[in-house]
Amino acid sequence: MNDIFFTIMFTIVPILVIVIFILVFILMFSPKLRGKFMSRNIKATKYMFDESKDDLTDIGSTMGDIAVKTRKKVLDKNEKNLKDMATRQANISKDAIEITARAIKEGFVTDTVYCKYCGKSIDADSKFCKHCGKEQ
């Protein structure tokens, strides 16, 4: 019994180790062989995805249903608070728009204009620029 064990350990195992070492060495320096192995891996991955496509679709559909039901439950439970928040946000936006519109309107109703040549502010009734002296 021990003779068989020692025979296996000292003849077959070293041979297997040498074969694996040679295969790894060849894979390191042979792009063609590496490509064949990668091609097989890609084909296996594609086959795996093709086989599990229906399962993945079912999982995605179930997750979508759960998300919709959860969102509906949250909306139903918090409807009053959400309406209050939406109203407050709309009022804040309305006030901001009114302030912006007022500022724009006030910006148009000034007696200050800008020189066509140098771009500096001058009075609206000025015939000449007080900075560059050119006629407006």
Side-chain angles (χ1 to χ4, degrees):
M1 182 74 168
N2 282 340
D3 292 336
I4 296 172
F5 178 72
F6 284 116
T7 304
I8 291 173
M9 287 299 291
F10 291 108
T11 58
I12 296 176
V13 171
I15 292 172
L16 285 175
V17 169
I18 291 170
V19 168
I20 291 172
F21 179 76
I22 291 171
L23 183 64
V24 169
F25 188 75
I26 290 172
L27 281 173
M28 286 173 49
F29 294 106
S30 174
K32 188 174 183 180
L33 188 60
R34 218 175 326 147
K36 285 185 180 183
F37 276 108
M38 287 177 64
S39 175
R40 287 184 185 154
N41 287 339
I42 291 171
K43 286 178 185 175
T45 304
K46 183 179 180 225
Y47 177 75
M48 180 184 71
F49 279 129
D50 287 344
E51 288 296 315
S52 61
K53 193 180 295 184
D54 292 336
D55 295 335
L56 292 172
T57 303
D58 290 342
I59 290 170
S61 176
T62 303
M63 288 175 61
D65 291 343
I66 291 170
V68 168
K69 288 176 184 175
T70 303
R71 184 172 176 146
K72 184 182 181 320
K73 188 182 281 187
V74 168
L75 290 174
D76 289 343
K77 185 177 179 181
N78 299 304
E79 185 174 1
K80 183 180 175 188
N81 290 334
L82 292 170
K83 283 182 180 178
D84 182 46
M85 288 170 55
T87 302
R88 290 174 67 187
Q89 183 66 40
N91 288 336
I92 291 169
S93 296
K94 182 182 107 181
D95 292 343
I97 291 170
E98 287 175 356
I99 291 169
T100 304
R102 198 174 310 118
I104 291 171
K105 183 178 177 184
E106 289 171 0
F108 284 134
V109 185
T110 64
D111 290 338
T112 304
V113 293
Y114 296 95
C115 174
K116 296 186 243 180
Y117 301 100
C118 68
K120 297 195 179 181
S121 63
I122 57 173
D123 293 331
D125 58 349
S126 295
K127 190 168 177 147
F128 294 93
C129 175
K130 62 184 173 186
H131 301 283
C132 68
K134 293 189 177 177
E135 187 177 358
Q136 297 301 307

Short mmCIF file of all heavy atoms in Angstrom, two decimals, residues 37-53 56:
data_model
loop_
_atom_site.label_atom_id
_atom_site.label_comp_id
_atom_site.label_asym_id
_atom_site.label_seq_id
_atom_site.Cartn_x
_atom_site.Cartn_y
_atom_site.Cartn_z
N PHE A 37 -7.77 30.15 -25.40
CA PHE A 37 -8.35 29.96 -24.08
C PHE A 37 -9.37 31.06 -23.77
O PHE A 37 -10.44 30.79 -23.23
CB PHE A 37 -7.26 29.94 -23.00
CG PHE A 37 -6.64 28.59 -22.82
CD1 PHE A 37 -5.34 28.36 -23.24
CD2 PHE A 37 -7.33 27.56 -22.22
CE1 PHE A 37 -4.75 27.12 -23.08
CE2 PHE A 37 -6.75 26.32 -22.05
CZ PHE A 37 -5.46 26.09 -22.48
N MET A 38 -9.03 32.29 -24.13
CA MET A 38 -9.95 33.40 -23.88
C MET A 38 -11.21 33.24 -24.71
O MET A 38 -12.32 33.52 -24.25
CB MET A 38 -9.28 34.73 -24.17
CG MET A 38 -8.25 35.11 -23.13
SD MET A 38 -7.38 36.64 -23.51
CE MET A 38 -8.70 37.82 -23.44
N SER A 39 -11.07 32.78 -25.94
CA SER A 39 -12.22 32.56 -26.80
C SER A 39 -13.16 31.53 -26.19
O SER A 39 -14.37 31.71 -26.18
CB SER A 39 -11.76 32.11 -28.18
OG SER A 39 -12.85 31.77 -28.98
N ARG A 40 -12.61 30.49 -25.65
CA ARG A 40 -13.44 29.47 -25.00
C ARG A 40 -14.14 30.04 -23.77
O ARG A 40 -15.31 29.75 -23.52
CB ARG A 40 -12.58 28.26 -24.61
CG ARG A 40 -12.16 27.44 -25.80
CD ARG A 40 -11.40 26.22 -25.39
NE ARG A 40 -10.91 25.53 -26.58
CZ ARG A 40 -9.86 24.75 -26.59
NH1 ARG A 40 -9.17 24.55 -25.49
NH2 ARG A 40 -9.49 24.16 -27.70
N ASN A 41 -13.42 30.86 -23.01
CA ASN A 41 -14.04 31.48 -21.83
C ASN A 41 -15.18 32.42 -22.23
O ASN A 41 -16.22 32.46 -21.59
CB ASN A 41 -13.00 32.25 -21.01
CG ASN A 41 -12.08 31.33 -20.26
OD1 ASN A 41 -12.41 30.18 -20.02
ND2 ASN A 41 -10.91 31.84 -19.89
N ILE A 42 -14.97 33.17 -23.29
CA ILE A 42 -16.00 34.09 -23.76
C ILE A 42 -17.22 33.33 -24.24
O ILE A 42 -18.36 33.69 -23.95
CB ILE A 42 -15.44 35.02 -24.85
CG1 ILE A 42 -14.43 35.99 -24.23
CG2 ILE A 42 -16.55 35.79 -25.56
CD1 ILE A 42 -13.65 36.80 -25.24
N LYS A 43 -16.99 32.25 -24.99
CA LYS A 43 -18.11 31.43 -25.46
C LYS A 43 -18.87 30.83 -24.28
O LYS A 43 -20.10 30.79 -24.28
CB LYS A 43 -17.60 30.32 -26.38
CG LYS A 43 -17.20 30.81 -27.74
CD LYS A 43 -16.66 29.68 -28.59
CE LYS A 43 -16.14 30.21 -29.93
NZ LYS A 43 -15.50 29.17 -30.73
N ALA A 44 -18.15 30.38 -23.26
CA ALA A 44 -18.81 29.81 -22.08
C ALA A 44 -19.63 30.87 -21.35
O ALA A 44 -20.76 30.62 -20.91
CB ALA A 44 -17.77 29.21 -21.14
N THR A 45 -19.09 32.09 -21.25
CA THR A 45 -19.82 33.17 -20.59
C THR A 45 -21.07 33.53 -21.38
O THR A 45 -22.14 33.74 -20.82
CB THR A 45 -18.91 34.40 -20.44
OG1 THR A 45 -17.73 34.02 -19.73
CG2 THR A 45 -19.61 35.52 -19.69
N LYS A 46 -20.94 33.59 -22.71
CA LYS A 46 -22.09 33.89 -23.55
C LYS A 46 -23.16 32.81 -23.41
O LYS A 46 -24.35 33.11 -23.29
CB LYS A 46 -21.65 34.01 -25.01
CG LYS A 46 -22.77 34.40 -25.94
CD LYS A 46 -22.30 34.54 -27.36
CE LYS A 46 -23.48 34.93 -28.20
NZ LYS A 46 -23.61 34.24 -29.41
N TYR A 47 -22.75 31.58 -23.40
CA TYR A 47 -23.69 30.48 -23.22
C TYR A 47 -24.40 30.60 -21.87
O TYR A 47 -25.61 30.40 -21.77
CB TYR A 47 -22.95 29.14 -23.34
CG TYR A 47 -23.83 27.95 -23.10
CD1 TYR A 47 -24.74 27.52 -24.06
CD2 TYR A 47 -23.77 27.24 -21.90
CE1 TYR A 47 -25.55 26.43 -23.84
CE2 TYR A 47 -24.57 26.15 -21.66
CZ TYR A 47 -25.47 25.74 -22.63
OH TYR A 47 -26.29 24.67 -22.40
N MET A 48 -23.63 30.94 -20.83
CA MET A 48 -24.20 31.08 -19.49
C MET A 48 -25.25 32.19 -19.49
O MET A 48 -26.34 32.03 -18.93
CB MET A 48 -23.09 31.40 -18.50
CG MET A 48 -23.58 31.57 -17.07
SD MET A 48 -22.27 32.07 -15.96
CE MET A 48 -22.00 33.75 -16.50
N PHE A 49 -24.96 33.34 -20.13
CA PHE A 49 -25.92 34.42 -20.17
C PHE A 49 -27.15 34.04 -20.99
O PHE A 49 -28.27 34.40 -20.63
CB PHE A 49 -25.29 35.69 -20.74
CG PHE A 49 -24.49 36.46 -19.73
CD1 PHE A 49 -23.20 36.84 -20.03
CD2 PHE A 49 -25.01 36.80 -18.50
CE1 PHE A 49 -22.44 37.55 -19.11
CE2 PHE A 49 -24.27 37.51 -17.59
CZ PHE A 49 -22.98 37.88 -17.88
N ASP A 50 -26.95 33.34 -22.10
CA ASP A 50 -28.09 32.90 -22.91
C ASP A 50 -29.00 31.97 -22.11
O ASP A 50 -30.22 32.06 -22.21
CB ASP A 50 -27.61 32.20 -24.18
CG ASP A 50 -27.03 33.17 -25.19
OD1 ASP A 50 -27.27 34.39 -25.05
OD2 ASP A 50 -26.33 32.71 -26.12
N GLU A 51 -28.41 31.10 -21.33
CA GLU A 51 -29.20 30.15 -20.54
C GLU A 51 -29.94 30.84 -19.39
O GLU A 51 -31.00 30.40 -18.99
CB GLU A 51 -28.30 29.04 -19.98
CG GLU A 51 -27.83 28.06 -21.03
CD GLU A 51 -28.98 27.29 -21.65
OE1 GLU A 51 -29.87 26.82 -20.92
OE2 GLU A 51 -29.00 27.17 -22.89
N SER A 52 -29.37 31.92 -18.86
CA SER A 52 -29.97 32.56 -17.69
C SER A 52 -30.72 33.85 -18.05
O SER A 52 -31.15 34.57 -17.16
CB SER A 52 -28.90 32.86 -16.64
OG SER A 52 -27.94 33.73 -17.17
N LYS A 53 -30.90 34.12 -19.34
CA LYS A 53 -31.56 35.35 -19.78
C LYS A 53 -32.98 35.45 -19.23
O LYS A 53 -33.39 36.49 -18.71
CB LYS A 53 -31.58 35.42 -21.31
CG LYS A 53 -31.95 36.77 -21.86
CD LYS A 53 -31.96 36.77 -23.37
CE LYS A 53 -30.57 36.53 -23.90
NZ LYS A 53 -30.47 36.59 -25.35
N LEU A 56 -32.89 36.17 -15.48
CA LEU A 56 -32.51 37.56 -15.22
C LEU A 56 -33.66 38.51 -15.54
O LEU A 56 -33.90 39.48 -14.82
CB LEU A 56 -31.27 37.93 -16.02
CG LEU A 56 -29.97 37.23 -15.62
CD1 LEU A 56 -28.87 37.56 -16.61
CD2 LEU A 56 -29.57 37.63 -14.22
#
